[in-house]
Amino acid sequence: MDARTGGAFLLTLFTTFCSVVHSTYGPWKTSYHASRGNHVAEGRSSQPHIIFIMVDDQGFRDVGYHGSEIKTPTLDRLAATGVKLENYYVQPLCSPSRSQLMTGRYQIHTGLQHSIIRPTQPNCLPLENVTLPQKLKSAGYSTHMVGKWHLGFYKRGCMPTQRGFDTFFGSLLGSGDYYTHYKCDSPGLCGYDLHEGEEAAWEQDHGVYSTTMYTQKAVNILASHDPKRPIFLYLAYQAVHSPLQVPARFLERYKSIPNLHRRKYAAMVSCLDEAVRNITLALKHYGYYDNTVLVYSSDNGGQPMAGGSNWPLRGSKGTYWEGGIRAVGFVHSPLLVKKGTTSRALMHITDWYPTLVTLGEGTLDENQNLDGYDVWEAISEGRPSPRLDILHNIDPIYIKAKNGSWKAGFGIWNTAVQAALRVGDWKLLTGVPGYGDWIPPQTFSTLLLANRWHNERISWQRGKSIWLFNITADPYERVDLSRRYPHVVKKMLFRLLQYNKTAVPCRYPPKDYRSNPQYNGGVWGPWYTDGDEEEDNNMLPYDLEKSWKKAKRRGKLKRQS
């Protein structure tokens, strides 16, 4: 046997050996603990590619595998061959969910306990928090964001490219026109909201529907990146948030739905499903798929007034009923140990931070005080979740329960405060949890949803400001047990009290008139400078009107042509 023949033989033998090792121990690679010691394909990083797809306002019912009339063949297939997360929770609104994904911390620990970050507020995800992309970037990942940010932009340091992303293409606000990419926060307060990096993306805007545009941008990123290097792609679609806009070819599929809101919404979901299919095809075409972990998640429950459905869950977006916080979610990956399964392990959106950082071989610091847990083994191997409870939120500003009191909270807690807590099987709500009807699928009427037809109305008991449910036995929250189990209520209230002791002050500043796009070339974007920030820090919290007048006198608010 000559040298060439011998070399070929040895190469074949080595390849065969590696194949045997991989087939024998390959399943270990799906657990991050074992993956580091296993065979890795030649030239390929042991770190998995991470594709996180966040969708906006998709209701619990609004996916095919949850019994919807909306056709989602791609999502159904990916979930069926991956792991469906059927005990998975997010927050009831956009900014809160996204902040917890990016930091792994509850709202009470970032100061974002109340509502969303408004376009006109000098507010953003606090800069002292190390973000998920920052951690993955430190671990060697190329980090890219496409889509909706909604975590503040009043100064440059708040922008996605300043918070860990190598590139950013998308919108800074919570919603806008899908074609023109304009957004009016109020009459006369309108601006353009499509950005490439930290500048307006005028040149890249061809009036393309945002779902299609974001998908193409994501595919371009995958095409230009070396799949041998790990990539984190955060694809945060605008869909299916209002306004209800969609290409006509998708609308044709749902002529049988008489309600126009529901018909448009269904078409938007179908367009989204096609977009995810194109992303999946790109992952395969460009050589990423075999080493990819794809996470799919909605940011909150659906909005029935805008065509969404959370049936049979109670409530909707913006509420702490299950319909507002229990989300559509799944993980699809060839690296999963147990594929084609359903996980009922308790999970929360804060869990993605430690899970993905550890999976990506990054490091977690003890002083980060994370509220999330590493749940990869629960997802991949079907093990129990390390999570036993979830603080859904404590909002110190929202105290609209007129009959709430310390007395109703056994002297432990003021039940006027909006709060929600899950511990094991139990769920406690205080204050005003939000609109709490059960709304069946809106498909059999030509009436508008605003007429509130075909739904079960709730007659609130006088003085009611506290609820207790066994959420495992009663996932639809139909039987309030607060009077039957006062000892459980007291324990839950004590837990709320302990959580509240760790809360930081709420960040919800008043409107800053300098945010008006007319002072920034017609574009929504940063309006603060370092000098402005230093000056405003010396002012009273609600003295921004004075600040605006001062800036106007200095000529900073001259309208740009």
Side-chain angles (χ1 to χ4, degrees):
M1 202 166 43
D2 59 23
R4 182 180 298 178
T5 305
F9 173 77
L10 289 174
L11 179 61
T12 302
L13 182 62
F14 176 74
T15 304
T16 303
F17 171 75
C18 287
S19 298
V20 171
V21 170
H22 185 68
S23 63
T24 304
Y25 297 102
W28 287 17
K29 181 168 173 41
T30 60
S31 171
Y32 69 86
H33 291 298
S35 66
R36 299 177 188 180
N38 280 357
H39 166 73
V40 178
E42 183 180 355
R44 191 180 73 189
S45 170
S46 62
Q47 299 162 287
H49 304 299
I50 299 171
I51 311 298
F52 197 107
I53 298 177
M54 174 78 82
V55 296
D56 205 341
D57 288 10
Q58 183 177 14
F60 184 79
R61 174 83 174 191
D62 299 328
V63 64
Y65 65 84
H66 279 172
S68 177
E69 76 279 18
I70 302 174
K71 306 302 179 185
T72 57
T74 300
L75 301 183
D76 295 350
R77 182 175 64 255
L78 292 175
T81 54
V83 177
K84 299 175 184 176
L85 308 180
E86 294 300 307
N87 200 8
Y88 169 54
Y89 289 85
V90 294
Q91 297 307 111
L93 291 169
C94 305
S95 297
S97 282
R98 292 159 206 271
S99 72
Q100 298 195 36
L101 168 66
M102 287 293 141
T103 65
R105 307 185 74 201
Y106 290 144
Q107 291 164 256
I108 65 164
H109 295 145
T110 59
L112 301 176
Q113 301 98 309
H114 181 70
S115 190
I116 60 173
I117 295 176
R118 307 283 176 182
T120 56
Q121 286 181 315
N123 193 16
C124 73
L125 185 67
L127 302 185
E128 62 268 21
N129 290 273
V130 180
T131 66
L132 175 59
Q134 285 174 326
K135 277 294 182 183
L136 291 173
K137 190 172 182 177
S138 296
Y141 276 75
S142 176
T143 58
H144 303 271
M145 178 180 173
V146 177
K148 171 179 166 177
W149 176 237
H150 206 185
L151 287 174
F153 58 89
Y154 76 102
K155 58 182 178 180
R156 291 279 175 183
C158 301
M159 299 285 279
T161 47
Q162 301 280 342
R163 305 309 304 273
F165 288 105
D166 294 328
T167 68
F168 166 64
F169 180 79
S171 63
L172 297 173
L173 277 63
S175 63
D177 191 283
Y178 280 74
Y179 293 96
T180 67
H181 317 299
Y182 271 83
K183 165 70 175 181
C184 290
D185 186 60
S186 61
L189 197 61
C190 303
Y192 182 70
D193 184 28
L194 183 65
H195 297 260
E196 174 81 28
E198 298 176 16
E199 305 300 330
W202 300 107
E203 294 181 359
Q204 296 198 46
D205 186 358
H206 304 291
V208 177
Y209 185 69
S210 76
T211 302
T212 305
M213 179 178 62
Y214 290 157
T215 301
Q216 187 57 57
K217 187 68 175 180
V219 170
N220 290 344
I221 290 172
L222 293 173
S224 61
H225 181 77
D226 180 359
K228 293 179 181 178
R229 293 184 55 239
I231 187 172
F232 170 52
L233 173 59
Y234 174 45
L235 180 52
Y237 282 108
Q238 176 184 355
V240 283
H241 195 293
S242 59
L244 300 178
Q245 297 173 300
V246 66
R249 68 185 179 92
F250 294 98
L251 202 56
E252 289 293 314
R253 304 177 186 181
Y254 295 100
K255 289 182 177 180
S256 61
I257 297 180
N259 184 278
L260 183 59
H261 286 164
R262 182 63 174 171
R263 190 189 316 158
K264 287 183 178 179
Y265 179 93
M268 293 170 75
V269 175
S270 280
C271 181
L272 182 66
D273 186 81
E274 180 180 279
V276 175
R277 176 178 180 270
N278 290 333
I279 294 295
T280 308
L281 291 174
L283 290 171
K284 294 178 178 179
H285 179 75
Y286 294 112
Y288 294 90
Y289 179 77
D290 290 341
N291 192 35
T292 290
V293 172
L294 186 152
V295 180
Y296 182 94
S297 171
S298 181
D299 66 341
N300 47 247
Q303 175 55 271
M305 301 293 283
S309 176
N310 303 303
W311 178 262
L313 302 180
R314 182 177 184 176
S316 62
K317 171 185 177 177
T319 78
Y320 287 97
W321 304 110
E322 293 291 284
I325 57 178
R326 191 169 160 196
V328 174
F330 64 80
V331 176
H332 178 87
S333 173
L335 307 180
L336 293 165
V337 172
K338 295 184 177 180
K339 304 180 186 68
T341 62
T342 296
S343 173
R344 291 186 170 81
L346 186 62
M347 296 180 195
H348 185 248
I349 194 166
T350 53
D351 298 333
W352 294 120
Y353 187 108
T355 301
L356 297 179
V357 170
T358 307
L359 193 63
E361 301 179 9
T363 58
L364 298 171
D365 304 320
E366 290 184 7
N367 62 1
Q368 285 187 264
N369 298 315
L370 298 179
D371 296 304
Y373 293 82
D374 181 349
V375 293
W376 181 249
E377 291 184 351
I379 295 170
S380 178
E381 302 175 26
R383 297 187 183 185
S385 172
R387 176 176 287 282
L388 302 176
D389 66 356
I390 298 173
L391 175 67
H392 294 304
N393 196 26
I394 299 170
D395 188 338
I397 294 180
Y398 198 83
I399 49 174
K400 293 188 176 182
K402 296 180 180 179
N403 297 295
S405 65
W406 286 95
K407 181 178 179 181
F410 300 97
I412 302 168
W413 184 261
N414 182 359
T415 62
V417 177
Q418 185 190 63
L421 174 69
R422 167 83 178 263
V423 179
D425 296 332
W426 297 105
K427 178 181 177 183
L428 181 82
L429 303 103
T430 69
V432 177
Y435 174 74
D437 291 358
W438 293 271
I439 306 177
Q442 310 284 329
T443 57
F444 307 110
S445 173
T446 57
L447 299 176
L448 292 177
L449 295 180
N451 291 334
R452 300 166 74 90
W453 51 271
H454 192 207
N455 59 321
E456 299 180 46
R457 301 304 307 279
I458 306 301
S459 298
W460 297 106
Q461 293 174 267
R462 188 174 181 81
K464 190 72 175 163
S465 61
I466 193 165
W467 295 262
L468 177 71
F469 300 97
N470 183 322
I471 214 67
T472 302
D474 179 25
Y476 311 139
E477 298 171 295
R478 292 183 174 274
V479 182
D480 173 29
L481 301 173
S482 59
R483 292 183 179 177
R484 190 180 307 178
Y485 298 105
H487 64 288
V488 175
V489 171
K490 290 178 182 179
K491 288 183 178 179
M492 299 281 280
L493 291 175
F494 270 118
R495 182 70 69 91
L496 268 183
L497 184 64
Q498 292 304 311
Y499 267 122
N500 199 46
K501 289 179 179 178
T502 69
V504 300
C506 188
R507 300 165 58 101
Y508 196 73
K511 178 187 294 186
D512 186 340
Y513 292 91
R514 294 171 294 177
S515 63
N516 194 326
Q518 69 173 313
Y519 306 130
N520 193 28
V523 177
W524 287 105
W527 67 88
Y528 258 52
T529 66
D530 292 339
D532 292 331
E533 185 176 6
E534 182 179 351
E535 181 178 318
D536 287 339
N537 283 340
N538 294 325
M539 296 177 129
L540 295 174
Y542 292 93
D543 204 14
L544 284 173
E545 176 73 24
K546 180 179 178 182
S547 171
W548 172 70
K549 289 178 180 178
K550 216 179 254 188
K552 191 173 183 179
R553 285 198 301 270
R554 293 198 304 264
K556 284 194 173 185
L557 298 185
K558 290 181 180 178
R559 184 177 182 130
Q560 299 181 28
S561 58

